[in-house]
Amino acid sequence: MSAVASRALLLGLAMAGLAGCSSARIWPFGEEAPVQAAAPENATQYRCAGGKSFFLRMLADGDVWVILPERQVRLAKSGSTGRFASGATALQLAAGDADSSLEDGPNNPHNGCKPARRE
């Protein structure tokens, strides 16, 4: 076997061995806690029914910035009080203790949303 073929075989075996190590869990102190994303600056977290949540930032011009786990979107103030919309995404902010709602397309509703308590 040539020197080049030997090196290629050795490199391939080393890479295969390292790839197998990536699935091994060697942390001896129990389960690792899931990493929680930090709250965006100047944003309020809303917790909704079904374990869903989003962050909301009020903008100086009266619009809002909605921060979802998979994307962010700016919603313009709509005609009625507490309503913001852009395309298929609409937010209805409720006053007092009433629930707010966010419709992010037809298959992703966020209902029963309330601002999370700050800790």
Side-chain angles (χ1 to χ4, degrees):
M1 188 182 303
S2 70
V4 173
S6 296
R7 285 185 184 163
L9 178 63
L10 184 59
L11 180 61
L13 289 172
M15 289 175 60
L18 289 174
C21 292
S22 66
S23 64
R25 303 189 86 187
I26 58 174
W27 185 253
F29 304 111
E31 292 293 317
E32 295 180 38
V35 176
Q36 229 175 5
E41 194 172 314
N42 298 325
T44 301
Q45 183 180 24
Y46 278 75
R47 293 192 179 139
C48 309
K52 294 183 176 185
S53 68
F54 63 91
F55 288 93
L56 181 69
R57 181 179 294 143
M58 303 301 284
L59 302 176
D61 63 0
D63 292 350
V64 296
W65 191 259
V66 177
I67 304 163
L68 296 160
E70 65 279 357
R71 70 187 187 106
Q72 300 182 23
V73 62
R74 181 186 186 122
L75 301 179
K77 193 171 205 166
S78 189
S80 63
T81 305
R83 183 163 171 80
F84 303 85
S86 176
T89 305
L91 172 68
Q92 181 64 53
L93 286 180
D97 289 335
D99 292 342
S100 297
S101 64
L102 173 67
E103 296 294 327
D104 185 30
N107 298 322
N108 194 18
H110 292 67
N111 296 314
C113 304
K114 293 190 181 291
R117 293 185 206 156
R118 296 193 180 236
E119 297 174 9

